[in-house]
Amino acid sequence: MSETPARSPLWLRFAAIGAGIVTLFWLPIEDTQINIVTLLALFIAAFGAAHTAYKRRAPKFHGVPRAALIGLLAGASATLIALLLIALKTGLHSHGAPDFTLTQITTLIQRTPYFAIGGLLVALGCAVWMYNRDNR
């Protein structure tokens, strides 16, 4: 028999709903700062990683490597999420000139390795903390 995956905790579901609401409020605002879209993309990637970690419970000896992979991919996907948010905002506003300059977009793309390493380190820290908490 197959085991049913664990449900995401309530706080994670409310956090994802909150991120969606913040995104909907951010879209119509005339804002050209890349920091806000980057922060929003990092939160969305973190929620996706936490949801994936809860849905795919691994045996204890696979927990840390799997968490490292999930964190690495979530950090790297933050750039893609930010680019999608930028494209969505630019498409909805229908300006003659885009909201974000090419310099801002290339700066965001150049930050991808830092996001990936940050996601890896945060995921490793959480996995080691959970491993030590469970083995007391």
Side-chain angles (χ1 to χ4, degrees), residues 31-103:
D31 180 33
T32 59
Q33 292 184 2
I34 201 72
N35 295 335
I36 295 172
V37 71
T38 303
L39 189 63
L40 191 57
L42 287 171
F43 278 130
I44 292 170
F47 296 146
H51 177 73
T52 302
Y54 272 102
K55 285 291 185 183
R56 310 219 185 282
R57 288 273 172 143
K60 288 186 180 182
F61 58 93
H62 284 142
V64 175
R66 183 173 287 185
L69 180 63
I70 289 172
L72 184 72
L73 292 176
S77 70
T79 302
L80 295 175
I81 294 168
L83 290 175
L84 286 173
L85 288 172
I86 288 171
L88 181 66
K89 184 171 182 137
T90 302
L92 287 176
H93 284 196
S94 302
H95 295 300
D99 289 341
F100 300 96
T101 64
L102 186 61
T103 306

